[in-house]
Amino acid sequence: MSRVWRHGTEAVLIRAALLVAIGAVAARLHAVHDPGVVCPLRLLTGVPCPFCGSTTAVMDLGSGDLTNAVRAQPMTVLAAGVLVTAPAGWYRRWGYLRYRHRVVLLLGAVALSWIYQVVRLGVIG
């Protein structure tokens, strides 16, 4: 086993353990002190932002409920997976893309997330 691969694997496992621990603590605190809706845009207008559901997704991940986390906010779950697995080295391919293409991909992901939240919360659809 190569040294780089071993260290990458160790870093992934450490990040995963930290994410689970933080999520579990946050879920416990949230269960006791539920603030309700925390999105300022949704509170003021009733329209969700592209990141609505992220708090719920983190709480569900911390509780070990991956299915409901994905239902609440798939992009947050995907971002957590990217964050955890980045030390494995696959992210280098992202750097090969032109800046313009990276921006288009990120803006597209945000737009899809916003459409998903608008439909999920019944604003349209």
Side-chain angles (χ1 to χ4, degrees):
M1 177 176 350
S2 77
R3 185 175 182 187
V4 172
W5 188 85
R6 187 180 72 231
H7 289 300
T9 303
E10 290 170 358
V12 167
L13 292 174
I14 289 168
R15 284 180 178 210
L18 285 172
L19 188 66
V20 168
I22 290 168
V25 169
R28 177 64 68 140
L29 290 172
H30 193 270
V32 174
H33 307 287
D34 185 1
V37 174
V38 294
C39 176
L41 180 65
R42 188 167 164 207
L43 283 172
L44 294 173
T45 67
V47 177
C49 75
F51 308 105
C52 273
S54 292
T55 303
T56 303
V58 170
M59 297 310 114
D60 288 339
L61 284 173
S63 300
D65 191 350
L66 180 62
T67 303
N68 280 335
V70 171
R71 284 184 188 142
Q73 182 45 282
M75 291 301 182
T76 298
V77 176
L78 179 64
V82 166
L83 176 70
V84 167
T85 61
W90 62 265
Y91 66 89
R92 289 184 189 108
R93 292 184 180 180
W94 179 255
Y96 297 142
L97 294 174
R98 289 182 159 190
Y99 176 77
R100 182 180 327 156
H101 294 148
R102 286 183 276 179
V103 169
V104 167
L105 285 171
L106 289 174
L107 290 176
V110 169
L112 286 173
S113 179
W114 182 71
I115 291 166
Y116 176 77
Q117 292 305 319
V118 166
V119 172
R120 179 180 77 92
L121 295 171
V123 176
I124 62 168

